[in-house]
Amino acid sequence: MKCNPALLRLTRPTVKSRLLRQLLIPPLIILLMVGIGLVAFLVSQSNGIRTLSETGERQLELHARTVESEISKYTYLPSLLELNDSVSQLLLDPDGGARQSVNEYLEGMQRRSRSRAIYILDTQGRVQATSNWRDADSFLGEDLSFRPYFQDAVRGQPGRFYGIGSTTGEAGYYLAHGLEEHGKIIGVAVIKVRLDTLEERWQRARLEAFVSDENGIIILSSDPARRLKSLQPLTPQVKEQLARSLQYYWWPLEELQPLAREPLADGVEKLTFPANSETAHGEQREVTYLSQTRRLADTPWHFTLLTPLQDLRREAMVQGALVAFAFALLTILGIAWNERRKVIATRLAAREALQEANAQLERRIAERTADLRASNERLKGQIRERRHAEQTLRQAQDELVQAGKLAAIGQMSTSIAHELNQPLAALRTLSGNSVRFLERGALDVASANLRTMNELIDRMGRITASLRSFAKRSDDGGQASLCKAVDACQQLLAARLSSSRLRIHRDFDEQRLAIDQTRLEQILANLLANALDATQDQPRPTLWLEGELQGERYRLQIRDNGHGIDLEARKHLFEPFFTTKPGEHGLGLGLTLSASLAAAAQGSLNVEHPSEGGTAFVLVLPLANPSLDTAEHP
Ligand code: ADP
């Protein structure tokens, strides 16, 4: 049965490609898992940042407005002092005695406004009256002309300034206003407010925010550690200006450089700062923030809102991991489904191939059966023909045997005639003599003659009897006695034997052979006659009859020391009508008939050519069945 090549392809993928697939797929899946997880993480993070920045935008606006309102609520206060006469008096005449009342007025005003301090400077920048006149570190008499807010206000511009107080060392927001009298600035009113409340509010709300000034220095921060740190490197000019104005006194103003900075939009960036705490291993932690900055109205300051991205990052990581896991799960399910699909496909293909092979097999069986039937028919025909031929052959053989017999009779008729003439002549003489002896009364001689005559008649009877049996057509299937057959032959050829000096050596046992008696006699008579012919010119003609048992068969060798058979004659020995004998002496039927008679009895007749000369015929015949023997010969 031929295997379907398609099935072979399906069921036997090359070992190499399978190995390659098995080796490549797991790292590929892991790679894709990591990639997809990373993408999911990034997408989730960017979505989170977008949401956070939208929320932050609102928060930024809200808190920036709070800062703006906190700053602006004091804006009008210094200008109110313009309305106070004692303030004008003091500024116009510092030694006029109005100071005390102004001091007290300012003290009351400071208490009510909850500001840090309110004070009046003359045009030289010296403090003429102050709300903290009672305190030991009172500003009274101090020269603050170096302060930028004074310089602005004395020029008629609003003075805005955040700095550290030179006397108190305390940070605060200074708002200054130039006080006018008849269109001329006669002094400057300053109010110092503390903005710590904003910081406290942010801390309470757990908000991370800071306010930076125009130089990028953080002036207000929810985290005290960031306070008075510069967000950008300060140029030497700025540093000099700050030193001159003592804005931040002698504060070191270190740089607060973020570890990483990633601008996302206008006023929005991702900042990474070192955290205040350290890890268990002593490593510096990092904190990443979404930073949103907005300019504060009426000031050069910026308000920055910091939203920590830690939670968002963690959430994005979880989402990334979940997506990667889901991908891995789907991939595994996909592979399993694909494998199952392949197995089913292979099974289906195998089933189809099997069905196809079955169908093919059935077709072949049908073809072979038809062939066999045809050859069976042919064989039957041949058998019929053979049987017919066999029958014809057997018939021809029988006829040949008969013809051989007749021929032998014809051939032997001379010797038979001679054989019968002799006793007949003797009988004529003896009968004549007997008549005469009876007439003379010589009864003894006459009876002796009659006895001799009787013997002669018996002999003649035997000759004719054997001739009759020889000529009779008989079907084989009988049994024969070997000794009886040899005796009968010798008797049949007695005349020739007596004239030929042939010596016969009999070396065999009595055997009952499965052949008709007459047929065995006929075979032996032929062989004996041939031996007589072959040895007639020999000085000591001899014939050996030697027998031996061969299992269920008996082998009889008939050997003579005659002239033997030449090479050419050996080829045609058993052919009908082959003879080397001259004239009427030979018919060439003897050996053919003998061989066919032996074969008809399931035996054989063959010739051997002994090295010492002469010829040996080997007759092999089956032994007769003893039970039949007893039945027929009790
Ligand atoms: P025929 O005796 O009539 O010739 P056979 O068939 O009996 O016919 O023998 C054929 C020939 O075989 C004989 O002519 C003879 O040449 C040869 N032949 C047979 N028997 C012997 C023998 N014993 N020795 C030598 N030649 C033989």
Side-chain angles (χ1 to χ4, degrees), residues 512-540:
R512 294 210 63 81
L513 302 173
I515 186 168
D516 189 79
Q517 185 70 40
T518 337
R519 290 190 175 196
L520 179 60
E521 285 170 12
Q522 192 174 357
I523 293 168
L524 291 174
N526 277 335
L527 297 175
L528 225 65
N530 283 340
L532 273 169
D533 288 338
T535 53
Q536 64 185 358
D537 296 330
Q538 296 301 318
R540 302 183 63 161

Side-chain angles (χ1 to χ4, degrees), residues 411 526-527 530-535 560 562-565 569 573 575 577-581 585-592 614-617:
Q411 194 186 9
N526 277 335
L527 297 175
N530 283 340
L532 273 169
D533 288 338
T535 53
D560 61 54
H563 53 62
I565 305 166
L573 216 52
E575 288 174 11
F577 303 107
F578 171 76
T579 180
T580 56
K581 294 170 190 169
H585 292 287
L587 275 176
L589 284 172
L591 287 180
T592 318
T615 308
F617 284 92

Side-chain angles (χ1 to χ4, degrees), residues 386-418:
R386 291 263 164 88
R387 277 203 186 127
H388 183 69
E390 210 174 290
Q391 214 173 348
T392 316
L393 190 70
R394 200 169 289 141
Q395 221 170 345
Q397 212 173 36
D398 286 349
E399 275 161 16
L400 202 59
V401 170
Q402 193 63 13
K405 281 180 184 176
L406 292 172
I409 288 167
Q411 194 186 9
M412 286 187 291
S413 57
T414 321
S415 53
I416 293 164
H418 173 75

